[in-house]
Amino acid sequence: ALEVATYTFLEQLTGRTGEKKHKALLCQAAEHWLGMPCGIMDQFISVMGRAGHVLLLDCRTQEETHVPFTDPNVILLVTNSNVKHELTGGEYASRRSQCYEAVDVVKKRHPDVKALRDVSKAQLDEASSDLSPVSLRRARHVVGEDARTLQAAEALKRGDYETVGKLMVESHNSLRDDFEVSCVELDLLVELALQVPGVLGSRMTGGGFGGCTVTLLRASALDELVAHLTKGYKDKTGKTPTCFPTVPGDGARVLTL
């Protein structure tokens, strides 16, 4: 968000503007130059965000689909664990490498496979005996997460927020157990959130090893949820979480004051 906002500011200073997709890709390139081999999701939503919608992004074709998220009775709560994480330390890169290892193994049986998005659960199960336990867990997360993402998009189109919440919990469990990028603080925040009536789902978000959770909830449950998270988290960790409710908004843009 900061790099996209900075780019937008520089566009106004120089008078040079371009296509939004190119803008997102240049911001990604800046992170690669600094040693962070990130994907394109954060940059794309920061550029392409649209109020009242979530963004379904195909990272291969870079095709974006805006999915409505407009029910005023359903909101998101972002909760910062206030645990610092550094993604340039190698954990992100190691997981990318482990995923590529899994692709190489599956490709021996299915040459058309180029990435884990091309791998079905059946194909992964077929190759499981040839994979290291770690690579199998990493691949199982990615294959499952791709499926959950598409299911969540369809559920949102139907206004089925209960299913979206269930998929969020499944996603967190997979990030914790198979991708192994969660931490005790994030797990605690998810556990506490799910104890509150009106909470539909919760999961860690971002690169992991700290950072934030995102919780889907009925708007009427907000005050109780914030109070429960604040007390429960402080009792267990001694830290105070930072909570802020939010709804989808527009991407980086010029504001007239």
Side-chain angles (χ1 to χ4, degrees):
L2 179 60
E3 67 197 18
V4 171
T6 301
Y7 192 114
T8 304
F9 174 67
L10 292 174
E11 284 181 321
Q12 298 307 303
L13 284 183
T14 63
R16 296 170 59 187
T17 60
E19 196 260 334
K20 284 187 173 183
K21 187 178 295 185
H22 181 64
K23 178 178 180 177
L25 292 171
L26 282 178
C27 288
Q28 179 197 28
E31 294 205 40
H32 287 187
W33 185 77
L34 291 171
M36 173 56 190
C38 64
I40 58 174
M41 293 192 301
D42 291 354
Q43 293 83 1
F44 263 68
I45 187 58
S46 295
V47 173
M48 309 283 191
R50 182 184 299 173
H53 295 76
V54 295
L55 185 70
L56 177 65
L57 175 64
D58 185 321
C59 293
R60 173 176 287 166
T61 65
Q62 297 168 8
E63 177 185 358
E64 73 272 1
T65 303
H66 288 90
V67 180
F69 185 104
T70 54
D71 188 334
N73 298 310
V74 179
I75 61 173
L76 297 166
L77 181 74
V78 176
T79 305
N80 190 343
S81 67
N82 291 315
V83 175
K84 186 177 181 181
H85 58 126
E86 299 252 351
L87 290 184
T88 53
E91 294 290 351
Y92 183 96
S94 71
R95 277 155 182 75
R96 281 177 59 100
S97 176
Q98 290 153 0
C99 289
Y100 285 129
E101 289 173 16
V103 169
D104 289 340
V105 170
V106 176
K107 189 183 292 187
K108 292 176 182 177
R109 289 183 171 88
H110 304 279
D112 56 327
V113 165
K114 296 182 175 62
L116 284 174
R117 63 173 289 160
D118 304 316
V119 178
S120 68
K121 183 180 182 300
Q123 289 172 333
L124 184 61
D125 290 343
E126 179 188 19
S128 60
S129 60
D130 296 329
L131 288 165
S132 70
V134 172
S135 288
L136 176 59
R137 290 198 301 273
R138 304 300 186 250
R140 186 167 56 207
H141 166 70
V142 174
V143 171
E145 192 76 343
D146 279 353
R148 283 187 290 271
T149 299
L150 295 173
Q151 291 167 22
E154 291 304 313
L156 281 171
K157 292 175 185 177
R158 300 191 304 268
D160 183 359
Y161 293 101
E162 287 79 9
T163 293
V164 176
K166 176 177 176 290
L167 291 166
M168 289 174 68
V169 175
E170 291 177 5
S171 175
H172 180 80
N173 292 342
S174 181
L175 287 159
R176 179 192 65 206
D177 300 333
D178 282 343
F179 219 55
E180 298 179 281
V181 291
S182 189
C183 61
V184 293
E185 293 88 353
L186 293 174
D187 293 342
L188 175 60
L189 286 171
V190 169
E191 178 187 347
L192 290 168
L194 295 176
Q195 294 169 358
V196 176
V199 167
L200 303 173
S202 187
R203 53 159 285 177
M204 59 157 282
T205 189
F209 307 106
C212 298
T213 62
V214 59
T215 301
L216 183 72
L217 68 148
R218 303 290 181 192
S220 58
L222 177 60
D223 291 344
E224 181 181 355
L225 175 59
V226 171
H228 187 69
L229 288 174
T230 301
K231 183 180 186 305
Y233 189 70
K234 189 167 186 178
D235 286 349
K236 290 287 183 68
T237 69
K239 299 181 178 70
T240 300
T242 306
C243 301
F244 48 100
T246 186
V247 291
D250 292 326
R253 62 201 185 281
V254 176
L255 298 177
T256 302
L257 302 178

